[in-house]
Amino acid sequence: MRFSAYSDRGLKVTTDISEKKKAFRTIAEKNAVLENIVSVMLKNENFLLVGHDNPDEDCLASLVSLSLVLKKFGKKPCIYIQSQIPDQLLYMTNICSYNVIPVFNGSNLPEQKPDVICIMDTPKPSMISVTREIRNYFDDAILIEIDHHLYSDAQYCGNPDYRYVDTASSTCELLAFICCKLNKRKKLLEEYNIEEFFTRNLALTLLTGMIGDTNFGLTLKTNRERFFYTLFTTYFAEILKKAYRKNSGNYSNITDIFTTIQQFSPEEKKVYQNLLEFTHFSKQTGFIFLTKKQSETFFGKYDPEIFVKVIKSVTDFLAERSGKVGATAYYDPCNENRKIQYRLRAARGCTDVDFRKILSEFKITDGGGHPGAVGFRLKAEKYTEPEIKEFNQKLIKELNEI
């Protein structure tokens, strides 16, 4: 059963309400979807890659990484990003420029209608970051989806049989799996004269997504997550090391990458310092729960995209500072679908924490994530401020006992 929904920007998005996102049941099922995607990649020419609102490191890196792969096979990929790319990630656009991958934004649109649209790292259709004009391209194009979000409210964005959605610590980790599969197909690489599949730029973009989405491995909790994170980051870091030329200004290791993407602009530093003024600690939990008025003050002073980026870092800081749990909450900017956004993070080394139990305990359906990192949302219109205060008190109590 299919239906048409509308995102917060009024964009019509068609999806399947009978299916929530779920991990592959078997390796055979996973391989079958990969074969479908590879077939589409080889048979078509023009590709448009899009991501989610306020794209983070993993989203941007997955867009650029897949574009680099498509270029290797002689295709014509282009990227559309509505938001401004943060200064610390501008090396991504430099990679695109060097490889002649057009990056469009705002009202600047690709002239060529795409044969295929690749939706990267996007939890659900309403979060696809596109304009009405680009949405018109969706009607006749094949929709490929690559994503690792398996939240309780996550919905498929791509066409059936072209949804590479599975358990992973980042979307770039899924892309790394795909790339390793392609790299083993020697006859295919020879056919397209690909002598070196894992180039320095591809290794750099994949690393950016993996270390950015896990905060340099901070949010990894399971042995599986740590195994694949270590496997891929070690492999790609070695590629960077071998390709590094002294005094070139290029990245030589993953620490350099992480240091860069963690850098704050002057305005971001102001937001960070301002947020810390609202910090509270209770037993094993560090938290910042902004009221509606406090949230409005922040959004009146600072750009919403900058605020969202910074509060993620603040949540991580609170987890490390408290020694176990970091929690933040704020009200969305004013709109008719206003929500209260919550983030929970566990400190490095806290492998016994599983925040998904909190979602179950409070019967929260709009949210999800990993054992050590979850996000969830409450509809602001359904709660008075005293009720939210009571909810926050109960949440802190649960977090202190987790």
Side-chain angles (χ1 to χ4, degrees):
M1 180 177 180
R2 298 181 70 78
F3 81 113
S4 294
Y6 287 83
S7 72
D8 292 341
R9 294 178 303 283
L11 301 176
K12 188 178 180 182
V13 180
T14 301
T15 189
D16 191 324
I17 63 172
S18 64
E19 289 186 89
K20 300 291 185 181
K21 283 186 179 179
K22 54 184 179 293
F24 290 116
R25 293 169 295 182
T26 65
I27 295 177
E29 182 183 11
K30 185 175 184 177
N31 289 338
V33 172
L34 177 57
E35 289 302 318
N36 293 337
I37 291 175
V38 171
S39 178
V40 166
M41 285 172 51
L42 298 179
K43 291 179 180 178
N44 292 275
E45 186 77 9
N46 297 294
F47 293 76
L48 173 63
L49 287 77
V50 299
H52 61 70
D53 295 319
N54 302 315
D56 55 12
E57 295 90 353
D58 190 33
C59 183
L60 289 171
S62 64
L63 292 171
V64 179
S65 296
L66 184 56
S67 295
L68 290 172
V69 172
L70 290 167
K71 289 289 290 188
K72 291 178 186 294
F73 291 98
K75 307 306 177 180
K76 297 178 180 177
C78 64
I79 297 171
Y80 181 82
I81 301 172
Q82 275 198 310
S83 307
Q84 183 178 354
I85 298 176
D87 291 345
Q88 60 269 31
L89 290 174
L90 285 178
Y91 64 89
M92 290 286 186
T93 59
N94 293 336
I95 291 174
C96 289
S97 297
Y98 181 79
N99 290 275
V100 197
I101 299 170
V103 179
F104 299 94
N105 53 55
S107 59
N108 184 21
L109 306 177
E111 296 181 2
Q112 182 66 47
K113 189 175 182 179
D115 306 309
V116 181
I117 295 176
C118 302
I119 305 166
M120 309 299 294
D121 192 51
T122 302
K124 52 187 177 181
S126 62
M127 293 179 67
I128 301 173
S129 184
V130 293
T131 62
R132 287 183 181 275
E133 291 78 10
I134 287 186
R135 180 61 189 85
N136 291 332
Y137 294 151
F138 280 53
D139 296 333
D140 301 318
I142 298 170
L143 304 182
I144 289 175
E145 176 179 15
I146 303 177
D147 183 41
H148 75 115
H149 294 102
L150 295 171
Y151 297 170
S152 58
D153 66 331
Q155 293 180 315
Y156 287 113
C157 301
N159 296 144
D161 301 324
Y162 300 102
R163 302 161 173 169
Y164 199 85
V165 175
D166 203 11
T167 302
S169 61
S170 64
T171 295
C172 277
E173 181 182 301
L174 293 179
L175 277 174
F177 273 107
I178 293 174
C179 289
C180 286
K181 289 279 190 179
L182 290 173
N183 191 41
K184 290 181 179 180
R185 301 188 180 187
K186 301 306 178 185
K187 289 186 178 179
L188 180 63
L189 301 186
E190 289 175 4
E191 181 182 346
Y192 284 88
N193 297 314
I194 302 173
E195 297 180 358
E196 183 184 19
F197 189 87
F198 283 112
T199 55
R200 178 192 170 280
N201 280 339
L202 181 56
L204 174 57
T205 54
L206 290 171
L207 275 172
T208 297
M210 284 186 280
I211 65 178
D213 222 35
T214 64
N215 197 19
F216 211 178
L218 176 66
T219 61
L220 300 174
K221 299 302 172 187
T222 68
N223 289 333
R224 181 193 180 281
E225 288 177 338
R226 283 189 287 270
F227 173 80
F228 284 111
Y229 175 83
T230 302
L231 176 69
F232 287 128
T233 54
T234 301
Y235 179 63
F236 296 138
E238 187 62 26
I239 293 175
L240 284 189
K241 182 179 178 180
K242 289 180 179 179
Y244 177 70
R245 296 192 307 274
K246 191 175 181 179
N247 299 322
S248 65
N250 293 332
Y251 295 107
S252 61
N253 55 63
I254 60 176
T255 302
D256 289 345
I257 302 171
F258 185 69
T259 300
T260 298
I261 64 179
Q262 288 293 102
Q263 288 176 349
F264 282 154
S265 68
E267 184 173 10
E268 289 166 347
K269 289 179 181 177
K270 290 180 182 178
V271 178
Y272 193 95
Q273 293 167 353
N274 201 345
L275 276 170
L276 290 182
E277 295 174 7
F278 296 86
T279 299
H280 297 277
F281 289 94
S282 174
K283 295 184 179 179
Q284 64 183 16
T285 305
F287 63 96
I288 295 175
F289 292 154
L290 298 180
T291 65
K292 184 190 299 183
K293 184 176 181 181
Q294 290 167 344
S295 300
E296 289 171 351
T297 299
F298 270 98
F299 288 122
K301 291 174 60 178
Y302 304 111
D303 183 280
E305 292 181 15
I306 290 177
F307 174 85
V308 171
K309 175 199 170 183
V310 173
I311 202 166
K312 291 180 181 178
S313 296
V314 168
T315 313
D316 295 333
F317 166 79
L318 293 173
E320 296 305 311
R321 181 69 175 80
S322 67
K324 192 157 189 179
V325 179
T328 57
Y330 64 91
Y331 285 72
D332 277 337
C334 293
N335 61 55
E336 58 184 48
N337 298 312
R338 192 179 203 184
K339 295 184 178 182
I340 308 171
Q341 303 280 350
Y342 285 82
R343 283 187 175 83
L344 308 178
R345 294 291 185 272
R348 187 186 298 272
C350 292
T351 57
D352 59 334
V353 171
D354 189 347
F355 291 129
R356 294 174 298 185
K357 295 178 181 178
I358 295 289
L359 302 183
S360 177
E361 178 73 22
F362 284 84
K363 295 180 172 58
I364 294 170
T365 58
D366 189 2
H370 312 296
V374 304
F376 65 89
R377 295 155 290 278
L378 303 178
K379 290 185 178 180
E381 62 185 25
K382 289 190 175 183
Y383 300 86
T384 63
E385 291 218 38
E387 287 173 335
I388 285 297
K389 185 176 181 180
E390 182 181 355
F391 173 87
N392 290 342
Q393 290 172 344
K394 290 180 179 179
L395 177 61
I396 292 299
K397 183 178 179 181
E398 290 294 327
L399 292 175
N400 282 332
E401 296 174 357
I402 198 168

